[in-house]
Amino acid sequence: MVKDIYPGTGNSNPTHLTNFNGTLFFVANDGVHAYELWQSDGTPAGTALFTEINVGIQDSLSSGVESGGEEIPMFVFNGYMYFNSNDQVHGDELWRTNGTPQGTVRWGPWGDASSFVRVDQVFYFASSYDANHTYLAEGREVWKSDGTVIGTQLISDVHPQAWV
């Protein structure tokens, strides 16, 4: 064990282990901050809470444990790591980090993003909604991005009647 993140009988349930620029990023619960983004260099001293997006005891990131084990991954693309988070103001939306707490920001209105894949100089992902649509589970569609908000677009509204 590198570090006991949730001391005592608790379990930190670390998930979403992702290598980003030689640092391990993951989601864990320390019993104080709920599920947040953590980082580790592989040593006890170098394993710490990276940033607390939703200050307090509510989860910022899903561990996947409470949702039946479905992990929503983190994805690295062109110097950024993308992930879903909830700041309790905007709901579950896509965030990204450059590897610093100060460089960790809500990146766009795409919610519940998953299934990231890189193809050449763009990436694709599935999302349940954006700023122009209301969330419906059956409304999940494929999006394409060059890593900029303005360069992110819906590929095709395959199931248009799902949007309200």
Side-chain angles (χ1 to χ4, degrees), residues 109-126:
W110 303 280
D112 214 11
S114 65
S115 302
F116 295 94
V117 64
R118 179 186 184 131
V119 177
D120 298 322
Q121 294 304 309
V122 298
F123 69 93
Y124 296 85
F125 63 97

Side-chain angles (χ1 to χ4, degrees), residues 113-154:
S114 65
S115 302
F116 295 94
V117 64
R118 179 186 184 131
V119 177
D120 298 322
Q121 294 304 309
V122 298
F123 69 93
Y124 296 85
F125 63 97
S127 177
S128 297
Y129 63 90
D130 74 350
N132 300 316
H133 299 97
T134 301
Y135 172 79
L136 287 177
E138 62 270 26
R140 195 169 209 44
E141 300 290 355
V142 177
W143 296 78
K144 175 182 178 180
S145 180
D146 63 2
T148 65
V149 171
I150 198 164
T152 303
Q153 60 194 11
L154 179 65

Side-chain angles (χ1 to χ4, degrees), residues 30-101:
D30 66 358
V32 175
H33 301 97
Y35 286 98
E36 295 288 348
L37 191 57
W38 286 68
Q39 67 180 13
S40 179
D41 64 4
T43 68
T47 302
L49 180 67
F50 174 70
T51 187
E52 187 175 14
I53 292 172
N54 182 13
V55 178
I57 59 170
Q58 291 185 324
D59 298 339
S60 294
L61 295 100
S62 168
S63 70
V65 173
E66 9 358 88
S67 61
E70 177 188 354
E71 285 195 32
I72 299 176
M74 293 186 275
F75 177 74
V76 176
F77 179 78
N78 287 355
Y80 293 96
M81 183 176 70
Y82 296 82
F83 58 95
N84 287 293
S85 190
N86 187 337
D87 62 4
Q88 296 303 318
V89 174
H90 301 95
D92 288 318
E93 291 191 337
L94 199 52
W95 286 62
R96 78 176 188 181
T97 185
N98 63 3
T100 67

